[in-house]
Amino acid sequence: MSGTDGDAPAVGGTGSGRWADGLRLAWGMLSAVPVPPPRRVDRPVAGVAMLLAPLATLPLLAAWVGCALVARWAAAPPLVTGAVAVALLVLLTRAMHQDGLADYADGLSSSYDRDRALAVMRTGDVGPSGATAIALLLLLQAASLGALASSWHGVALGAVALVVSRHVLAWGCLRGVPSARPGGLGAMVAGSVAPWQAGAALAVLLAGAGLLGAAATPAGWWHVLPCAAAGLVGCWLVVERAVRRLGGITGDVLGAAIEVSLTLSLVVASLLV
């Protein structure tokens, strides 16, 4: 995905058709689980999809919890547990976000020239910077998930990290965030979410995460706050760098934001269990 100019209108209205199409679009873009295609794809629908992106983590959450249960039953080594969990997450998303991360890293490392960097990102080839970025982040994710699987509190924080990593798409597509180029599906998402909508979505997410954390470990419910904060910081770092170097966001930038957000959130969570 790549975006459009930041002064585009934000998501408006609450028509059931728009929200249903937005949910289908979110699942189609962020999950390998087949869903009926949306009846229409435009900026309002794309903005709704960014707000509903956390719902696309449902199959990922099921895979993570199932993996943790099996690992605890089998007394699997933490790194093996984490590696299997990461493999499941990659399979359930068709490695789309890792592809975006690789293109983003290769583009930024290729040249300080904006057009040259964008051209490299469009090629789809994975260079040394992209391969290194994927390897490092997957290693951190596997190590963190392996540590989190050892307790119910850790499993809950891992789930929070997954949800937060998709929620950050709403912040990456805030009104005022420009597009790096005019074409592509991402042209519909840049600047498509109003700040109050992203804030409301964050409030709902934190409330649900707090309840989940309290149910898992009452004394450690507040751990969801630093996990969520780490994910949001990861998104900000990726998007801010993209705006300065590339002139805005693309679909690859959003994929990189998901992976960086997930990694930072998981690392913080692993330090709290």
Side-chain angles (χ1 to χ4, degrees):
M1 294 181 295
S2 61
T4 57
D5 32 349
D7 58 356
V11 182
T14 57
S16 58
R18 176 184 302 156
W19 288 89
D21 286 338
L23 181 58
R24 294 190 188 104
L25 182 59
W27 274 71
M29 290 192 300
L30 302 173
S31 168
V33 177
V35 294
R39 290 168 296 180
R40 80 178 199 271
V41 178
D42 52 21
R43 280 185 59 77
V45 169
V48 168
M50 297 300 96
L51 288 172
L52 299 183
L55 295 179
T57 62
L58 290 175
L60 307 182
L61 295 175
W64 159 236
V65 173
C67 179
L69 286 172
V70 172
R72 295 183 69 179
W73 171 77
L79 191 55
V80 172
T81 301
V84 172
V86 167
L88 290 173
L89 298 181
V90 171
L91 287 173
L92 287 171
T93 56
R94 299 189 294 268
M96 292 181 292
H97 312 316
Q98 285 77 24
D99 178 68
L101 172 67
D103 289 341
Y104 176 76
D106 285 334
L108 290 185
S109 65
S110 64
S111 172
Y112 281 99
D113 179 75
R114 171 184 177 275
D115 293 334
R116 168 62 179 162
L118 288 172
V120 169
M121 292 172 67
R122 288 181 67 95
T123 62
D125 298 330
V126 178
S129 297
T132 301
I134 290 176
L136 288 176
L137 263 64
L138 290 183
L139 178 59
L140 286 170
Q141 291 174 15
S144 299
L145 287 170
L148 293 172
S150 62
S151 68
W152 289 119
H153 184 50
V155 172
L157 290 182
V160 170
L162 280 168
V163 174
V164 168
S165 70
R166 272 57 176 180
H167 165 71
V168 300
L169 291 179
W171 295 97
C173 298
L174 279 182
R175 186 164 47 194
V177 176
S179 166
R181 51 181 174 237
L185 180 60
M188 292 180 292
V189 299
S192 63
V193 179
W196 72 265
Q197 292 171 319
L202 178 60
V204 172
L205 184 151
L206 290 178
L211 291 174
L212 178 63
T217 308
W221 68 268
W222 62 271
H223 288 169
V224 303
L225 299 177
C227 291
L232 291 171
V233 168
C235 174
W236 177 81
L237 291 172
V238 171
V239 172
E240 191 274 339
R241 184 67 169 170
V243 171
R244 284 197 294 114
R245 283 287 308 278
L246 307 174
I249 65 170
T250 68
D252 291 330
V253 171
L254 295 178
I258 287 175
E259 288 302 308
V260 172
S261 171
L262 176 61
T263 303
L264 289 182
S265 188
L266 287 174
V267 167
V268 170
S270 69
L271 297 175
L272 295 172
V273 294

